[in-house]
Amino acid sequence: MARKKAHGATVTAAEVILEKGDTKKRFSDVHGAVNGHATKRPRIEDRTDYSRWRMRDDEGRHTWHYIEEDQAAKDWPQTHADKYYLGLPLDLPELKPAKTPLDAVWNGLTFFEKLQLPSGHWGCEYGGPMFLLPGVVFAWHITKTPIPWYYATEIKNYLFARANPEDGGWGLHIEGDSSVFGTVLNYMVLRLVGVEADHPKMVKARATLHKLGGATHSPHWAKFYMAVLGIAKWDIVNPVPPELWLLPDWVPFAPWRWWIHIRQVYLPMSYLWSKKWQAEETEIVLSLRKEVFVEDWDSINWAGHRNTIHPNDNYHPKTWVLNSINWVLVNFWDPLLRPKILADKAEAWASDLIDMENKNTDYSNLAPVNAAMNTIACFARDGPDAFSVKRLKERLEEALWLTEEGLLCNGTNGVQSWDTAFTIQSIMDAGLTEDPRWRPMLLSALKFLDNQQIRENVEDQDKCYRQQRKGGWAFSNKDQGYAVSDCVAEALKSVIILQKTPGFPTLIDDQRIFDAIDTLLTYQNPSGACSSYEPQRAGTWMEALNAAEVFGEIMVEYEYPECTTAVVTALSLFSKHWPDHRTKEIRAFVDRAVSWIKTAQRPHGGWYGSWGICFTYATMFALESLASIGENYSNSKHSKRGCDFLIARQRQDGGWSESYKSCETGEYIEHPTGSQVVMTSWALIGLMKANYPGIEPIKKGIKLIMDRQQPNGEWLQEAIEGVFNKSCMISYPNYKFTFTMKALGMFAKKYPKETVVSE
Ligand code: LAN
């Protein structure tokens, strides 16, 4: 894992420029060592100097660095991408105003090209959820990791910028109403990074927290974190018995059947719950005990508050089944019946599974939620100097991201392969892949996907119940290494498109393409639909055991029109170029998948989206899959109803606008800020794929996208685009480039004679 420094010398990933005059210090020496200053409060300033931040792209691994030394800062100049992420002026020239949609794509690409990173992909903030950064900061606190002043400062800035302007609290995600979950976690973060309790913003946030009932009213995961930190007693945490991992595979609710994220979160949680492990009681922890509760700490009836929760946090109330199981576990199993030998065995197996997750991802872990918890679990098990703890902390850094508002934690360690695939496709849809002007950019993107393809299954695949992944792509990078059905599909489509374009090399040979197909073909559920990381392993009745309260639909894999469509279109494209490879299986897969998509259509004609907001996103995908088997507006009632659904929701100004509230409520709800370029693009792409007969509504939408383009070719950020688990929103900032350009490019190709002049 060697790479070149800006000035030529080779360094390892762990060597980064950290402190004044110290360009060689190892990351772990600064962040990782227990240096006797565990309780020392971080220094905190008003702001950092934004001209000193750099984002390093180490073959798709992102880390942010603050360079305090002038000479070192000069030796490593800020790139356009750095400046863009940081909200600094780019001073790019105004481009020739776009006269046609194709001009607009050209201008968009001219801008977007500047943001391509050295390894060939596009980086971005991937924020939104407000419960991720807390995990990281708690892990630092618990592992006694000094927090550099520039991190502390920018974490404070981010959280203050994202506090609810009215009540000063935080929600589950950046657009959500204040909840106990968001407020208690982020309040604790601010205190741990050095903000004083009497800071006016903290006083306001605390008042909101207390108004919501205080920390006793928080959901399960917050209670877990508070118990580990020593802010609450373990009795307030509903049980997470590690014995679950010992259940035989045939048991209908055995953990291997759960959705991978829940599996991986409950694994370290169960280990720590079983041990009732608590971090050192630091001064700040003792103080937080007095701050976050409404009640006097010593008088709290901890066990009595296991199920206390504020309605704002209770998106998915626990079922009576789960409540009854918890009651038995708390009152009988844990205190009276639980054999020590069984508990030890369960802890040992959970611990082995944690090791497998670490090994299989080179300590990146599936996402920062389980990465933070695994860091704490490994610290509890292995102690401060262990390789596991140091390496986990190093990799945790890759989820951090700096924006003009401050430092946040991304939902994953990036969106690298996913955004790269969509960028390639938008250029293809505009018919520009053969234009030599864009070849270097595309070639570099292709090289990235080549480099990021997962070449082997994990060694202990069956032991740790991992899905086949050989030939696949992850959402972020191959270190994380979890193939996802639609990530494999979108990356594969992009690779095939480019490799079949004259002038591009065949970097990925046929065998590697076949590997991807073999893996894709494993994703189908009996219904014909595809899920995300794995086919469904248990029924949706498992939601009865959903203990998280704040999220819906998390226990098992569900069936998604988005994922299903992506796989369908990838298989169709593959079959065009390799008509003789696994022909029958592919045809059967596609037929069953498209039949399922038809059954998933809602009575109003739209499809519910689980990963983008919401009906607009999934309807685009569904219309695309229907089109891929020749069904369109004129010959398919499904396609027609989908188009009519979209057309009925077009706004006066030609755009579409959907709020995240659609995801929560299941009803189409408009965003109060009006038309959004991303949703407008999704709707237009769907209509064009379906061959919608009227051009006027499409032209109107295209005009809106063109009008919103800036003179330098970019589009500005509007409302949030993505979602997960029904209730939590997440940003996809590159969508405002990839999907706008795709819609414009498709229009240009479909209606070459039409000119839509932007104002
Ligand atoms: C993602 C991000 C990408 C997303 C798509 C590829 C867009 C989707 O089509 C399939 C599912 C997937 C891979 C996905 C799953 C859930 C993720 C990983 C996230 C939304 C990003 C963050 C989220 C993760 C679950 C956050 C942690 C929260 C927990 C409840 C554990």
Side-chain angles (χ1 to χ4, degrees), residues 126 131-132 221 259 261-262 265 367 369 411-412 418 475 484 486-487 532-533 551 554 562-563 611 617 723-725 730 732 735:
Y126 191 41
F131 58 93
L132 303 176
W221 294 11
W259 189 44
H261 280 279
I262 289 314
V265 165
V369 192
T412 54
W418 183 249
F475 176 68
V484 184
D486 54 352
C487 301
S532 57
Y533 296 80
F551 305 111
I554 55 166
E562 305 98 301
C563 298
W611 308 111
Y617 182 69
V723 59
F724 61 91
N725 301 137
I730 190 155
Y732 286 81
Y735 282 0

Side-chain angles (χ1 to χ4, degrees), residues 457-531:
N457 290 324
V458 300
E459 236 173 67
D460 35 28
Q461 179 173 297
D462 295 332
K463 238 172 127 187
C464 58
Y465 303 108
R466 285 284 300 269
Q467 166 79 2
Q468 167 177 334
R469 63 172 201 172
K470 186 173 177 184
W473 279 267
F475 176 68
S476 56
N477 61 21
K478 69 177 172 205
D479 289 12
Q480 188 257 11
Y482 276 87
V484 184
S485 63
D486 54 352
C487 301
V488 181
E490 300 297 353
L492 181 66
K493 277 193 269 179
S494 307
V495 166
I496 296 177
I497 287 164
L498 282 185
Q499 295 199 159
K500 295 292 173 191
T501 300
F504 285 91
T506 300
L507 300 180
I508 300 189
D509 62 24
D510 282 5
Q511 188 50 53
R512 284 170 62 195
I513 303 263
F514 298 160
D515 289 344
I517 292 294
D518 291 346
T519 287
L520 266 189
L521 288 173
T522 66
Y523 275 106
Q524 196 164 37
N525 291 315
S527 67
C530 294
S531 304

Side-chain angles (χ1 to χ4, degrees), residues 346-502:
E347 281 172 17
W349 180 229
S351 161
D352 285 352
L353 287 167
I354 292 174
D355 287 339
M356 285 182 234
E357 163 74 346
N358 287 339
K359 190 186 91 192
N360 290 333
T361 59
D362 188 9
Y363 295 83
S364 289
N365 285 193
L366 174 60
V369 192
N370 79 316
M373 291 182 186
N374 279 340
T375 309
I376 300 169
C378 287
F379 178 82
R381 185 190 66 184
D382 305 336
D385 299 323
F387 174 77
S388 57
V389 177
K390 287 188 175 160
R391 188 73 182 130
L392 278 161
K393 281 195 300 183
E394 257 170 28
R395 307 277 357 224
L396 214 41
E397 297 271 317
E398 292 171 32
L400 299 179
W401 194 265
L402 197 68
T403 72
E404 57 184 310
E405 292 179 323
L407 191 72
L408 58 93
C409 179
N410 280 343
T412 54
N413 59 343
V415 190
Q416 297 86 322
S417 294
W418 183 249
D419 279 339
T420 305
F422 281 122
T423 307
I424 295 172
Q425 289 176 37
S426 65
I427 302 174
M428 195 281 288
D429 282 317
L432 295 175
T433 40
E434 285 187 60
D435 194 313
R437 168 68 183 85
W438 307 112
R439 191 165 302 138
M441 172 170 90
L442 286 169
L443 187 57
S444 173
L446 176 62
K447 282 185 185 154
F448 181 75
L449 292 181
D450 167 33
N451 186 21
Q452 293 300 323
Q453 190 183 22
I454 300 166
R455 307 289 278 270
E456 294 301 335
N457 290 324
V458 300
E459 236 173 67
D460 35 28
Q461 179 173 297
D462 295 332
K463 238 172 127 187
C464 58
Y465 303 108
R466 285 284 300 269
Q467 166 79 2
Q468 167 177 334
R469 63 172 201 172
K470 186 173 177 184
W473 279 267
F475 176 68
S476 56
N477 61 21
K478 69 177 172 205
D479 289 12
Q480 188 257 11
Y482 276 87
V484 184
S485 63
D486 54 352
C487 301
V488 181
E490 300 297 353
L492 181 66
K493 277 193 269 179
S494 307
V495 166
I496 296 177
I497 287 164
L498 282 185
Q499 295 199 159
K500 295 292 173 191
T501 300

Side-chain angles (χ1 to χ4, degrees), residues 233-254:
K233 294 238 166 118
W234 272 105
D235 286 345
I236 201 173
V237 185
N238 267 317
V240 197
E243 284 85 340
L244 282 167
W245 305 100
L246 299 177
L247 291 172
D249 288 356
W250 57 263
V251 174
F253 55 87

